[in-house]
Amino acid sequence: MSESATSERTMRERVEEYVFRLQDEIVSAFEKLDPTAPSFKRDSWIRAQGGSGRSCVFACPPQSTSYPSGISTPASESNVNLATEREIVLEKGGVNVSVVHGLLPPAAIKQMRADHNSMPLPERQEGLPFFAAGLSLVIHPRNPHAPTVHANYRYFEITEPITQEEGSDDAPKKQGKVLAWWFGGGSDLTPSYLYEEDAIHFHKTISDACAPHGSDLYPTFKKWCDEYFYIPHRHETRGIGGIFFDDLNSGPHARFPNSTNRPSTPDEIFAFVQSVGNSFVPSYIPILAIRHTALYIEHERRWQLLRRGRYVEFNLVYDRGTKFGLMTPGARIESILMSLPETARWEYMSEMGTEEGTEEERLMKVLKMPKEWI
Amino acid sequence: MSESATSERTMRERVEEYVFRLQDEIVSAFEKLDPTAPSFKRDSWIRAQGGSGRSCVFACPPQSTSYPSGISTPASESNVNLATEREIVLEKGGVNVSVVHGLLPPAAIKQMRADHNSMPLPERQEGLPFFAAGLSLVIHPRNPHAPTVHANYRYFEITEPITQEEGSDDAPKKQGKVLAWWFGGGSDLTPSYLYEEDAIHFHKTISDACAPHGSDLYPTFKKWCDEYFYIPHRHETRGIGGIFFDDLNSGPHARFPNSTNRPSTPDEIFAFVQSVGNSFVPSYIPILAIRHTALYIEHERRWQLLRRGRYVEFNLVYDRGTKFGLMTPGARIESILMSLPETARWEYMSEMGTEEGTEEERLMKVLKMPKEWI
């Protein structure tokens, strides 16, 4: 497509192109960091009800000491153990793109109206056409000193239904008038051990990406992130935050009651989303590059797995996207639950994290009381 | 207390005594099976809002190869590794009793009415007094050939509020008139590898305990169990079933629309609950006694941990008790989440369980299509 045509392209086309490009860039960055590890597994899929996607997933071979054993491995199996000489950087990770469309039933419209005030009323019994494009990623490194990271960038549209004629085979890309649209996303860091310089670097990189688009963006979305990634039954946040935003469009926004200092046209908002999307690699890869080589002991691995248990608790009990996905008939479960760690651990009344003066307790203090990093 | 006084005791006193006695019996049975393992940790607690309980929890020392490691243990730590010579039978387990009372807010009453048709209307703004006594257990053995088991036996009461005078210090045990009451419970087995003889023994023992109390009980509660322990997003049951029952009282029951062949007085229902409670040890311990010595390879351990991931998914996403507990302010989170396994595993698009002719696939077939075992 020539450059001059760009301005005529629809937002859905531009977002689709962007998320696939970002996916390539992110996956390449991880593969470059650990060139001798197995590549991410690329896996394109088509949704029967409309749309398609591409999963890029990293998984360690199960033989590489990646799970507990009660007995020693028979000699014939232990030959495939790869991780003793040099450890693989990632334990599990996925960078997924999905671009889907279909009819949103009235019940789903009704539910989404709670978080999206531009959503039309669910008047038509047969529902309304929707379009959703997004990139979603979760990376769980092996080393307990390297933090888990999550990011998501998404665009959503509700349109008027198109008539049979308009929607004929000659014009498969034709779409009805856009009734509602918004962008959402963000990224956040979940360390098992707190390195303040990592937290500062992560937040600073994202804040710098937000700044040209409005001075209120980072503080507003940082606060929203701390609120969203909170585990009520543990009275702690999932991690040390980042940014979270949703429902960004040209209309009024609950988080910006009085501010006009924010992107509000579709082009301005998309430029902001690209800016934070592009900041993902520089916000995280330098941290991983340093921490993945740290020496660690089993005590630290144990704590990492306990923290992964909390990650599972948040994702299965509270995360909106996961809950919505699990309830959606025909949803791709493997993609939805890709966010879960390879291994998680639960101990009854564990003393880890409670003993004063320990590194584990130092992290817990920050999770109990979110901090301003910059 | 003398025998002659038994008939004058209230149901809550009788249930309380029973669940504590059953707890002792069950914990003793596990400790007798593995006398050199650490004992269950007894932990009595008091609930600020009213009531108390006793947790009996088993946890392997974390040093005993019970979690994955990316690097080898430093020599100074590996001396405490106990499990290399003879493996400990259990990996994690809890047998908990709680006897609690307090005021049930109108919102909670309203929610409980969905499953309990004898529940009074939430008319009083300040709520209604409730009493709940129960035993709840989950046992996760170490050996992949030994199944996980869960059981629960509980009694619930809603009473009229008592006046200040009646509830004075002189008569602390006084209670208002019972407005509604019911028993619930059951037990179910979750193997990683299917041994048909184990499934038959488990179901037969429970069925025999049900039979004297009504011929419809086992078939009705077996079906209910398969329905309850179902993971919709996986299209599979959590395990190979057992029995599940709830809302048993003298009134009409949705699962017995036409049958009178069931216990219906408080004494009859309590006798039934004791009968199935007493059947727990003979239904499960003989299975564990055989399977815990099986030789296994890492492939089988890996499958066990994947199945534990499904256990976590069911408990956090669907289990009524867990969800209710997580939403209850002041609930004892450690007791609620005691049911989670020590370690669980998730793989993206795992081939395990899908390959025809394997033992893993043989289990999956039964989880996709529950079977009549007796």
Side-chain angles (χ1 to χ4, degrees):
Chain A
M1 183 167 294
S2 71
E3 279 235 302
S4 63
T6 308
S7 58
E8 291 154 36
R9 290 157 66 213
T10 59
M11 184 56 83
R12 47 171 85 179
E13 287 168 328
R14 292 164 66 194
V15 174
E16 176 169 351
E17 190 201 319
Y18 175 67
V19 290
F20 276 111
R21 187 154 45 81
L22 185 60
Q23 183 185 38
D24 279 338
E25 184 196 316
I26 292 172
V27 172
S28 299
F30 283 111
E31 290 181 341
K32 212 180 284 172
L33 187 70
D34 196 9
T36 61
S39 298
F40 277 62
K41 194 179 145 198
R42 274 82 166 166
D43 184 11
S44 293
W45 49 268
I46 288 173
R47 182 167 169 270
Q49 298 92 333
S52 64
R54 187 173 59 170
S55 300
C56 296
V57 176
F58 181 87
C60 258
Q63 292 86 349
S64 47
T65 68
S66 58
Y67 60 103
S69 162
I71 54 165
S72 47
T73 315
S76 62
E77 290 208 6
S78 62
N79 294 334
V80 284
N81 187 319
L82 311 164
T84 41
E85 296 208 338
R86 202 195 60 78
E87 195 163 62
I88 290 170
V89 175
L90 301 187
E91 182 162 300
K92 192 178 172 195
V95 185
N96 288 354
V97 159
S98 78
V99 182
V100 299
H101 59 268
L103 273 179
L104 205 62
I109 296 177
K110 209 175 153 188
Q111 203 188 321
M112 292 184 89
R113 275 176 60 86
D115 297 314
H116 304 281
N117 56 21
S118 65
M119 195 79 175
L121 282 164
E123 282 164 348
R124 292 176 75 246
Q125 245 196 327
E126 58 278 38
L128 282 171
F130 79 94
F131 168 88
L135 178 149
S136 178
L137 74 83
V138 178
I139 299 290
H140 296 288
R142 171 75 63 191
N143 195 303
H145 297 276
T148 285
V149 73
H150 159 255
N152 176 254
Y153 310 100
R154 59 189 180 275
Y155 174 67
F156 199 90
E157 252 181 26
I158 300 281
T159 57
E160 273 181 356
I162 44 171
T163 62
Q164 200 108 38
E165 213 176 314
E166 286 173 319
S168 70
D169 285 352
D170 295 336
K173 288 246 175 182
K174 200 135 191 176
Q175 63 186 69
K177 192 187 148 213
V178 176
L179 295 175
W181 61 273
W182 63 82
F183 283 92
S187 63
D188 62 284
L189 203 66
T190 307
S192 299
Y193 287 95
L194 182 63
Y195 290 89
E196 300 223 346
E197 61 270 40
D198 293 356
I200 292 165
H201 169 81
F202 187 76
H203 278 265
K204 181 77 170 56
T205 309
I206 295 168
S207 167
D208 287 348
C210 291
H213 304 271
S215 58
D216 291 343
L217 298 181
Y218 171 76
T220 305
F221 298 156
K222 191 273 183 197
K223 186 163 174 282
W224 201 348
C225 187
D226 289 336
E227 288 167 18
Y228 182 82
F229 293 102
Y230 180 69
I231 310 176
H233 65 264
R234 298 289 190 179
H235 309 287
E236 65 192 41
T237 57
R238 186 175 77 172
I240 56 110
I243 59 167
F244 179 91
F245 58 94
D246 203 356
D247 207 27
L248 281 196
N249 58 28
S250 303
H253 194 285
R255 298 264 166 176
F256 298 99
N258 306 310
S259 170
T260 53
N261 187 15
R262 59 160 177 124
S264 55
T265 69
D267 279 348
E268 284 168 2
I269 298 172
F270 183 40
F272 160 70
V273 172
Q274 289 176 84
S275 181
V276 290
N278 296 341
S279 80
F280 174 77
V281 167
S283 75
Y284 180 67
I285 294 285
I287 296 173
L288 183 58
I290 295 174
R291 301 300 163 210
H292 86 85
T293 60
L295 291 177
Y296 64 91
I297 57 171
E298 296 220 338
H299 175 86
E300 292 163 336
R301 175 70 174 155
R302 178 179 153 213
W303 175 243
Q304 180 190 38
L305 296 182
L306 288 173
R307 298 312 306 166
R308 295 220 161 132
R310 303 300 172 91
Y311 209 88
V312 170
E313 289 176 29
F314 178 82
N315 286 23
L316 291 181
V317 181
Y318 301 106
D319 185 60
R320 268 193 233 157
T322 306
K323 282 171 80 170
F324 190 79
L326 294 182
M327 304 307 156
T328 306
R332 191 165 186 267
I333 293 303
E334 291 294 336
S335 296
I336 295 165
L337 296 183
M338 172 209 81
S339 64
L340 300 180
E342 183 205 60
T343 309
R345 180 175 171 86
W346 284 270
E347 293 177 10
Y348 177 76
M349 300 279 278
S350 184
E351 79 288 359
M352 291 195 96
T354 65
E355 290 170 330
E356 261 192 73
T358 60
E359 280 301 303
E360 292 80 16
E361 190 234 358
R362 204 165 68 86
L363 173 76
M364 291 312 301
K365 272 188 189 152
V366 171
L367 302 186
K368 297 277 179 196
M369 180 67 74
K371 209 172 145 170
E372 296 305 321
W373 294 106
I374 51 174
Chain B
M1 183 168 292
S2 71
E3 278 238 301
S4 62
T6 307
S7 58
E8 291 155 36
R9 291 159 63 214
T10 60
M11 184 57 83
R12 46 171 86 181
E13 288 168 326
R14 293 163 66 194
V15 173
E16 176 170 351
E17 189 200 321
Y18 175 67
V19 290
F20 276 111
R21 185 155 44 81
L22 185 60
Q23 183 186 39
D24 280 337
E25 184 196 315
I26 291 172
V27 171
S28 300
F30 283 111
E31 291 181 339
K32 212 182 284 172
L33 187 71
D34 196 10
T36 62
S39 298
F40 277 62
K41 193 178 147 200
R42 274 83 166 166
D43 185 11
S44 292
W45 49 268
I46 287 173
R47 182 168 168 270
Q49 298 90 334
S52 64
R54 188 174 58 172
S55 299
C56 296
V57 176
F58 182 87
C60 257
Q63 292 86 349
S64 47
T65 69
S66 58
Y67 60 103
S69 162
I71 55 163
S72 47
T73 315
S76 62
E77 291 207 7
S78 63
N79 294 335
V80 285
N81 186 319
L82 312 164
T84 41
E85 297 206 340
R86 201 195 60 78
E87 193 162 65
I88 289 169
V89 175
L90 301 187
E91 182 162 303
K92 191 177 173 197
V95 184
N96 288 354
V97 159
S98 78
V99 182
V100 298
H101 59 268
L103 273 180
L104 206 62
I109 295 178
K110 208 174 153 189
Q111 202 188 322
M112 291 185 90
R113 276 176 59 85
D115 297 315
H116 303 282
N117 56 20
S118 66
M119 195 80 176
L121 281 165
E123 281 163 347
R124 292 176 74 247
Q125 245 196 328
E126 59 277 39
L128 283 171
F130 78 93
F131 169 88
L135 179 150
S136 179
L137 74 84
V138 178
I139 299 289
H140 297 287
R142 171 75 63 190
N143 195 302
H145 296 276
T148 285
V149 73
H150 159 254
N152 176 254
Y153 310 100
R154 60 190 179 272
Y155 174 66
F156 200 90
E157 253 181 25
I158 299 281
T159 57
E160 273 181 355
I162 44 171
T163 63
Q164 201 109 39
E165 212 176 314
E166 287 172 319
S168 71
D169 284 352
D170 296 335
K173 288 246 172 183
K174 203 138 188 173
Q175 63 185 71
K177 193 186 147 217
V178 176
L179 296 174
W181 59 274
W182 62 83
F183 283 93
S187 63
D188 62 284
L189 203 66
T190 306
S192 299
Y193 287 95
L194 181 64
Y195 291 89
E196 300 223 345
E197 60 270 39
D198 292 356
I200 292 165
H201 169 81
F202 187 76
H203 278 265
K204 182 75 170 55
T205 308
I206 296 168
S207 167
D208 287 350
C210 292
H213 304 271
S215 59
D216 291 344
L217 299 180
Y218 170 76
T220 304
F221 298 157
K222 191 271 181 198
K223 187 163 174 283
W224 201 349
C225 188
D226 289 335
E227 289 167 19
Y228 182 82
F229 293 102
Y230 180 70
I231 310 174
H233 65 263
R234 298 289 190 179
H235 309 287
E236 65 192 40
T237 57
R238 186 176 76 173
I240 56 107
I243 60 167
F244 178 91
F245 57 93
D246 202 358
D247 207 27
L248 280 195
N249 58 28
S250 302
H253 194 285
R255 298 265 166 174
F256 298 99
N258 305 308
S259 169
T260 53
N261 187 16
R262 60 160 178 122
S264 56
T265 69
D267 280 348
E268 285 168 2
I269 298 172
F270 183 41
F272 160 71
V273 172
Q274 289 177 85
S275 182
V276 290
N278 296 342
S279 80
F280 174 78
V281 168
S283 75
Y284 180 67
I285 294 285
I287 296 173
L288 183 59
I290 295 175
R291 301 299 163 210
H292 85 84
T293 60
L295 291 175
Y296 64 91
I297 56 172
E298 295 221 337
H299 174 87
E300 292 163 336
R301 175 69 174 156
R302 177 179 154 211
W303 174 242
Q304 180 191 38
L305 296 182
L306 287 173
R307 298 312 307 166
R308 296 218 160 133
R310 303 299 172 91
Y311 209 87
V312 171
E313 289 176 29
F314 178 83
N315 286 23
L316 291 182
V317 181
Y318 301 106
D319 185 60
R320 268 192 234 156
T322 306
K323 283 171 78 170
F324 189 79
L326 294 182
M327 304 306 154
T328 306
R332 191 166 186 270
I333 293 303
E334 291 294 335
S335 296
I336 295 165
L337 297 183
M338 171 210 80
S339 64
L340 300 181
E342 182 205 59
T343 310
R345 180 175 171 86
W346 285 269
E347 293 176 10
Y348 177 76
M349 301 279 278
S350 185
E351 79 289 358
M352 291 195 97
T354 65
E355 291 171 327
E356 260 192 74
T358 60
E359 280 300 303
E360 292 80 17
E361 188 233 19
R362 205 164 68 85
L363 174 76
M364 291 313 300
K365 273 188 188 153
V366 170
L367 302 186
K368 298 276 179 195
M369 180 68 73
K371 209 171 144 170
E372 296 304 321
W373 295 106
I374 53 173

